[in-house]
Amino acid sequence: MELAYYSDYAVRLVNTEEPARNKDTLTSVEAVRELFGPSAQSARRATEGDVTRFRAVRGRLRAVFAAADAGDETRAVDLLNSLLLEFPVSPQISGHDIRDEDGRPKWHMHLADHPSNATAGYAAIAAMGLAFHLTEYGVERLGLCQSAPCRNAYLDTSTNRSRRYCSDRCATRANVAAYRARKRRETERSESTGRTEESTQETRARIER
């Protein structure tokens, strides 16, 4: 498993909450376990106490995305470094019994789960994955959706660093809203121009009389 994969851990956790919509899906142990995906062993360690701890880490990860989205690179890095210090990772070389065509293991770097509790393990992986993404691709690749009121976190993997929305759905909604706003302005200008022309014609008519 490549280290870049782990950056998605941070995105998944941050997006369990939509503050502007007052929505939060991180309300149970089951919700915590779902965040781990196929890592069933790590998920089994989750307890009720992890719900509150996960929410605390979520807020700190969102702050990293918010700082990056605002263009404050130093703050984004400082916030991420504090998470890395608090939740250290244990890198290991792993093969996971995957073999190449010659029958040899396909060795790769793997982040071992933290043994203490589910939150520490998840936070360590999420922070390290996000740190890898930031240093490899740049802090501007971390963003928050520009389609209000969404503000979900995303990782920009576009070739020209042009991503502004968390999903195609939000991009479409934003484009439709922009189109409608543009048509509304055009209509208002047209009506204003029409009223001005009518007023001018009335003035001319009075002068001619």
Side-chain angles (χ1 to χ4, degrees):
M1 188 178 297
E2 297 181 0
L3 293 180
Y5 165 85
Y6 293 111
S7 57
D8 192 53
Y9 275 56
V11 174
R12 289 206 302 268
L13 177 54
V14 171
N15 291 347
T16 59
E17 180 186 31
E18 295 183 63
R21 291 173 171 154
N22 198 29
K23 292 176 62 176
D24 188 348
T25 60
L26 191 58
T27 58
S28 65
V29 177
E30 289 70 25
V32 169
R33 289 172 178 162
E34 287 178 4
L35 287 168
F36 284 92
S39 184
Q41 181 177 356
S42 301
R44 282 196 293 268
R45 290 204 303 266
T47 65
E48 288 289 345
D50 283 302
V51 176
T52 301
R53 289 192 290 265
F54 261 69
R55 286 179 171 177
V57 172
R58 178 180 65 189
R60 295 170 66 181
L61 285 170
R62 175 172 282 278
V64 174
F65 278 94
D69 189 66
D72 193 342
E73 294 188 37
T74 301
R75 177 166 173 75
V77 170
D78 287 344
L79 290 170
L80 193 48
N81 273 336
S82 68
L83 283 164
L84 291 170
L85 287 171
E86 186 173 344
F87 302 105
V89 298
S90 302
Q92 293 180 348
I93 300 174
S94 176
H96 287 312
D97 298 324
I98 301 175
R99 305 283 171 169
D100 60 21
E101 57 186 19
D102 296 323
R104 295 176 301 185
K106 288 187 176 181
W107 300 115
H108 57 271
M109 291 302 298
H110 174 80
L111 300 182
D113 294 328
H114 198 286
S116 60
N117 60 65
T119 302
Y122 194 99
I125 291 173
M128 188 60 199
L130 203 55
F132 176 83
H133 196 94
L134 185 151
T135 54
E136 184 72 10
Y137 303 109
V139 70
E140 64 274 13
R141 294 288 190 160
L142 280 60
L144 293 174
C145 187
Q146 298 302 301
S147 178
C150 178
R151 302 300 281 168
N152 271 350
Y154 66 84
L155 299 171
D156 185 2
T157 57
S158 63
T159 55
N160 58 356
R161 306 187 180 204
S162 61
R163 184 171 179 179
R164 295 294 179 270
Y165 307 103
C166 69
S167 64
D168 290 341
R169 179 181 180 183
C170 277
T172 299
R173 184 167 61 238
N175 289 334
V176 169
Y179 172 79
R180 288 175 176 171
R182 186 168 61 252
K183 296 300 288 185
R184 188 163 53 249
R185 288 193 298 269
E186 290 174 354
T187 300
E188 290 172 353
R189 282 198 298 269
S190 178
E191 291 176 349
S192 176
T193 300
R195 286 193 296 270
T196 300
E197 290 177 348
E198 288 177 0
S199 177
T200 301
Q201 290 172 357
E202 291 174 357
T203 300
R204 287 175 178 172
R206 284 197 299 270
I207 293 174
E208 290 173 356
R209 288 198 298 269

